[in-house]
Amino acid sequence: MERLSGLWSFWTKTGAPFESAMDGTFSTAEANYRPAVATVNRTSDGLWLEGWANTTFSNPNTDQILRYRLQYDTGTDSRFVSLEINFLTGTMTASHGANADPASNQRVSWNTSAAMGAGTYHFGWWLRWSSTGVPTVAPVVTKNGTAWAGADQSLATAPSPPGELRAVNLVVTNLRIEAMQISQLAAKPATDAERTLTGTWTKGATLGTPAFPMAVFPAVSGDVWSVLTDIARATLSTVEVDRDGFIRWQDYTRWAATPTTPALTVSSARELASLTVTEEIDACRNAVAVKWQNWAGHDYELAGLTDSPATPIAVAAGATITRSMPTSEDRYDPVPPTITGALSGWGNLIIRTAAATTAPLVRGAAEYSIRREDGTVYLTVRNRSASTFYYHACNLGTPKPSQTTGTPVVSLAAERDAASQAAYGMQSFEHDGAPWIQDGGTGRDVAKALIKAGAVPAPQLQSVEILPNPRVDLGDVVRVVDTTGAQLDTLAWVIGIRTEGSGTAVRQTLTLRGVASNGMPADTGLTPDPPTRPGAPPPV
């Protein structure tokens, strides 16, 4: 089985090589994921659980923990496998049993005998099941090409009956993580290159710390880049493809601090051909309202997609069948089903050992997945056992916003700057963050950022023509030195880049925004006009 497709990935690798970046910091975070693929409990293959962890930015006095918890549904109860690494102490622990709390189940551990130290790690867990339901686990941790591998240890105190992998729980404390993936492999990756996928996966993006929570992914149309730029606009973030072809995403906090060091200098002595400097009151924003979509109190409702063939379909050992079910555009992707004996309710899948409706259910032998293409949902079922089983029916639950709670209300988050209003008058601005901003706290954060940026207008440098320089990226800080015309020596953000060519000539024009304003207007020596002409007679 190809590893890159994975049994199930937190971030799915599709198309061109792409990984999420190790820039998301989690102080203490916990997340639950339902895999799009349910898998078997009895197989000669193993599960390879892997990812990357960075402890460089971690608190050195606090545990640096990453824990997987796999939940298997046996039909009568759940069994849990927990896999934990503490990068601070160098301790790895695995547990298995019927209790959701790892400390209440049988446990085994490994220790590197020393703290691992700050750095970037690739980690992997190799998990296999015996024919009697005993898991065997071994960890491998790699840092800078040096691997530490723990010996196989079995957890045989309470063997598990056949079951499906139904959910994965991930706990991250004091770490930065990326590229979490679970794959089903015939053999454990044996070398450092195999474990870290050297030459196979290429880091293609860097993402900032998650800043804006979302309750629902709204209905959108267009390509992926259009969606990314729309989210960036709504949240005052930037997304770009830099000169090296990497995708870079940074949130609004990139503008919060005034920079002191430029990425490069452009001067009239060499690079600078022309520029126009403006400082307009139109750039002032001192009364800001941000639209956001209020999802608080809104719920979802489920509708079923039922597939019930006239006669059960035989699926031979190793064979795969695919079933299709049409769905409406207002529905979200369905929840993966669960093996049950009846179609009542949502999210049920019936697979039996024979065509008879009284035959035993098959549990732990079917690998199935859900995918959606346009208006059709496809259910793929693969027989991972050595015997034929029969697909009887499926009823998927597809969610959509509840009709009883109505559509989300568009709300406003407002901020104002009294000192700016006293100097410039009321300069209003309304920013549309809907539908991507979905809570009031985020709306207020964006409004505050807009006020901070616009309460006092910063100089704008338009049409800054320079010698073409591929080193200039969106969001860079450049030093502009003009000793011939505008007499400038200032730092400015790059907020626009235009490169064009004609014949053999190439022109690059920048749009810049000063990193600091020139301060409030002093109005020194000005005398306001009185409301009426001095000495004028009273009106008749």
Side-chain angles (χ1 to χ4, degrees):
M1 181 173 291
E2 184 190 10
R3 178 179 172 194
L4 289 184
S5 63
L7 173 69
W8 169 64
S9 300
F10 292 84
W11 293 279
T12 303
K13 180 181 186 295
T14 57
F18 176 84
E19 292 185 25
S20 63
M22 200 175 297
D23 296 335
T25 304
F26 297 87
S27 175
T28 299
E30 181 169 342
N32 289 279
Y33 301 87
R34 289 180 63 85
V37 177
T39 188
V40 298
N41 195 336
R42 307 288 187 267
T43 173
S44 58
D45 293 348
L47 292 186
W48 177 245
L49 301 93
E50 64 182 316
W52 292 83
N54 188 335
T55 63
T56 304
F57 305 96
S58 302
N59 183 340
N61 301 313
T62 304
D63 284 340
Q64 301 156 6
I65 293 175
L66 188 146
R67 181 191 306 129
Y68 278 109
R69 191 189 70 185
L70 285 67
Q71 178 181 348
Y72 286 86
D73 179 13
T74 69
T76 56
D77 63 4
S78 292
R79 299 301 172 96
F80 301 90
V81 175
S82 177
L83 309 169
E84 178 181 303
I85 301 178
N86 189 328
F87 290 92
L88 180 65
T89 63
T91 302
M92 285 142 277
T93 306
S95 69
H96 167 240
N99 199 305
D101 180 9
S104 300
N105 298 324
Q106 182 191 3
R107 306 174 75 191
V108 294
S109 62
W110 302 258
N111 201 300
T112 61
S113 302
M116 295 181 179
T120 300
Y121 297 86
H122 178 273
F123 63 88
W125 288 94
W126 180 239
L127 169 63
R128 291 163 295 161
W129 291 90
S130 74
S131 59
T132 58
V134 174
T136 299
V137 185
V140 183
V141 179
T142 304
K143 179 184 179 184
N144 299 329
T146 300
W148 188 94
D152 284 346
Q153 293 200 60
S154 296
L155 294 140
T157 298
S160 288
E164 305 168 284
L165 176 58
R166 295 305 309 151
V168 177
N169 172 276
L170 177 67
V171 176
V172 181
T173 302
N174 196 24
L175 285 174
R176 295 187 176 191
I177 61 171
E178 70 174 348
M180 314 296 288
Q181 176 171 277
I182 304 176
S183 304
Q184 192 163 282
L185 306 179
K188 177 182 178 181
T191 66
D192 180 58
E194 290 181 44
R195 286 188 291 269
T196 59
L197 294 168
T198 302
T200 303
W201 279 47
T202 302
K203 193 184 186 82
T206 175
L207 311 177
T209 303
F212 303 117
M214 289 179 58
V216 64
F217 196 91
V220 293
S221 60
D223 56 28
V224 173
W225 189 253
S226 298
V227 174
L228 290 176
T229 53
D230 194 40
I231 299 173
R233 178 204 57 78
T235 60
L236 304 188
S237 306
T238 58
V239 59
E240 62 177 319
V241 179
D242 69 10
R243 60 182 177 270
D244 296 317
F246 296 124
I247 297 174
R248 296 185 179 275
W249 178 285
Q250 297 185 68
D251 62 35
Y252 70 96
T253 58
R254 73 176 303 170
W255 318 105
T258 302
T260 58
T261 304
L264 69 158
T265 299
V266 295
S267 67
S268 55
R270 181 179 183 275
E271 297 93 347
L272 195 59
S274 65
L275 64 83
T276 302
V277 181
T278 61
E279 183 178 340
E280 302 177 6
I281 194 172
D282 289 343
C284 178
R285 300 288 184 262
N286 53 37
V288 172
V290 174
K291 287 184 179 180
W292 59 280
Q293 215 169 58
N294 189 354
W295 281 87
H298 289 268
D299 203 351
Y300 300 90
E301 61 184 27
L302 289 176
L305 291 179
T306 302
D307 178 53
S308 184
T311 58
I313 301 172
V315 184
T320 299
I321 64 169
T322 299
R323 306 292 294 175
S324 62
M325 289 159 275
T327 186
S328 58
E329 293 184 353
D330 64 339
R331 294 287 173 181
Y332 295 113
D333 292 349
V335 176
T338 302
I339 297 289
T340 59
L343 283 183
S344 58
W346 312 123
N348 297 330
L349 176 63
I350 302 177
I351 298 177
R352 298 184 182 274
T353 58
T357 57
T358 56
L361 290 171
V362 172
R363 203 175 293 276
E367 177 181 291
Y368 50 92
S369 64
I370 298 292
R371 64 184 173 89
R372 177 175 176 171
E373 294 181 4
D374 298 324
T376 304
V377 172
Y378 297 92
L379 167 69
T380 301
V381 180
R382 180 187 180 193
N383 188 342
R384 296 280 294 169
S385 72
S387 304
T388 298
F389 62 56
Y390 289 78
Y391 168 80
H392 284 243
C394 181
N395 189 0
L396 302 177
T398 60
K400 75 170 185 177
S402 172
Q403 295 298 315
T404 58
T405 56
T407 57
V409 177
V410 175
S411 303
L412 292 175
E415 291 289 333
R416 62 188 292 269
D417 188 294
S420 175
Q421 290 180 2
Y424 297 102
M426 179 77 73
Q427 303 297 327
S428 301
F429 177 70
E430 186 175 277
H431 175 71
D432 190 359
W436 301 105
I437 298 178
Q438 298 178 0
D439 70 290
T442 300
R444 287 187 294 274
D445 288 342
V446 171
K448 290 176 182 178
L450 284 168
I451 282 289
K452 184 175 181 179
V456 182
Q460 305 289 316
L461 284 72
Q462 311 286 344
S463 303
V464 182
E465 186 179 340
I466 65 172
L467 290 177
N469 190 334
R471 296 177 300 162
V472 180
D473 287 324
L474 188 68
D476 277 351
V477 177
V478 298
R479 181 186 176 198
V480 181
V481 180
D482 182 10
T483 58
T484 60
Q487 298 296 317
L488 285 177
D489 187 347
T490 187
L491 298 180
W493 297 103
V494 178
I495 60 174
I497 304 173
R498 185 179 67 209
T499 304
E500 54 191 345
S502 177
T504 59
V506 179
R507 297 176 59 192
Q508 188 174 55
T509 305
L510 307 180
T511 302
L512 309 178
R513 183 181 188 273
V515 300
S517 70
N518 292 321
M520 294 285 190
D523 291 343
T524 303
L526 298 180
T527 302
D529 291 334
T532 60
R533 177 172 64 83
V540 178

